[in-house]
Amino acid sequence: DTEVTQTPKHLVMGMTNKKSLKCEQHMGHRAMYWYKQKAKKPPELMFVYSYEKLSINESVPSRFSPECPNSSLLNLHLHALQPEDSALYLCASSQDSGTAEKLFFGSGTQLSVL
Amino acid sequence: RKEVEQDPGPFNVPEGATVAFNCTYSNSASQSFFWYRQDCRKEPKLLMSVYSSGNEDGRVTAQLNRASQYISLLIRDSKLSDSATYLCVVTQGGFKTIFGAGTRLFVKA
């Protein structure tokens, strides 16, 4: 069982909808990540938070808005998405020693944009 | 040239076979190296870290060759349950983590 919990597991939304993905971990990790994964492709890094501050934004479109309310929670707010944004969105966490360590992934949110 | 390259496979092997995966990376300043396993429709899970001295866990051995900039994974006595995609992962300092495209393995009865 994963120690990183993501909700919802599945999400279908229209291009005009606003929705949020949620991620929670209680391992005391201080680095949290959002990845996007298309079918038969590797995960692509979107955002990294370190000690609740945004550390990396991999030139992600502004229709994706991350938020880290505290050290255990990570959200991804979605607005005006496009069908090509349909993918598996994975949250991960790691110990924070200033560099990427072993990643622990949640089971992901399968997102479909209609 | 991709930063991390893997043979996408698929590798189709019978039970009991030994299978080897290789991965090459382009940035000589890369710092940490890992193999992850991803089952169909599941999240990636850490399989093992990779060191120059080698790392073995049961039937699985991983090795790093910094001079040649490649990483290997060896699975001995393959089981049906080893069928998955194996992802080579390289970190380059900070939180920059590069995933290889993954190698698909199918173990047949």
Side-chain angles (χ1 to χ4, degrees):
Chain A
D1 288 340
T2 182
E3 295 182 73
V4 178
T5 304
Q6 287 188 246
T7 56
K9 292 192 181 304
H10 302 275
L11 179 63
V12 180
M13 61 186 290
M15 290 189 285
T16 59
N17 292 158
K18 286 185 181 181
K19 297 286 185 182
S20 296
L21 310 185
K22 297 185 183 300
C23 175
E24 187 170 5
Q25 58 88 15
H26 293 288
M27 295 180 282
H29 291 170
R30 301 309 296 268
M32 296 187 75
Y33 309 69
W34 280 114
Y35 282 85
K36 173 183 177 179
Q37 187 174 26
K38 301 282 260 185
K40 299 186 179 182
K41 297 290 186 182
E44 296 176 20
L45 183 63
M46 300 175 72
F47 303 103
V48 181
Y49 274 83
S50 171
Y51 286 86
E52 297 136 61
K53 294 195 186 310
L54 185 63
S55 179
I56 292 179
N57 176 342
E58 289 286 287
S59 302
V60 179
S62 59
R63 57 186 184 269
F64 295 90
S65 175
E67 178 196 18
C68 189
N70 60 55
S71 60
S72 300
L73 295 174
L74 185 66
N75 299 323
L76 186 63
H77 303 297
L78 314 173
H79 174 54
L81 294 194
Q82 303 297 310
E84 59 264 29
D85 296 322
S86 298
L88 179 67
Y89 288 84
L90 293 161
C91 173
S93 70
S94 71
Q95 299 279 9
D96 187 341
S97 59
T99 185
E101 298 282 348
K102 302 169 187 177
L103 296 172
F104 293 81
F105 284 89
S107 56
T109 294
Q110 187 65 54
L111 174 67
S112 296
V113 182
L114 304 178
Chain B
R1 181 184 174 188
K2 293 181 181 177
E3 292 182 271
V4 179
E5 294 205 60
Q6 292 182 251
D7 182 342
F11 286 28
N12 293 288
V13 302
E15 279 187 289
T18 295
V19 60
F21 306 129
N22 289 323
C23 167
T24 59
Y25 60 95
S26 60
N27 188 338
S28 59
S30 297
Q31 296 182 351
S32 301
F33 309 88
F34 307 93
W35 283 101
Y36 282 75
R37 169 191 169 134
Q38 187 169 24
D39 292 284
C40 189
R41 301 179 189 277
K42 299 284 190 181
E43 73 276 17
K45 292 187 177 179
L46 179 67
L47 185 61
M48 62 172 46
S49 303
V50 190
Y51 311 109
S52 297
S53 57
N55 191 8
E56 182 173 328
D57 183 6
R59 298 181 293 109
V60 183
T61 301
Q63 187 77 51
L64 165 66
N65 185 319
R66 282 193 180 270
S68 301
Q69 295 182 202
Y70 85 83
I71 306 145
S72 63
L73 183 72
L74 186 75
I75 302 176
R76 293 177 295 277
D77 188 23
S78 299
K79 311 292 185 189
L80 295 176
S81 56
D82 293 329
S83 297
T85 296
Y86 291 84
L87 297 157
C88 172
V89 179
V90 173
T91 68
Q92 298 179 342
F95 294 100
K96 188 75 171 176
T97 302
I98 310 296
F99 280 76
T103 300
R104 299 190 73 188
L105 172 66
F106 295 100
V107 181
K108 306 168 295 183

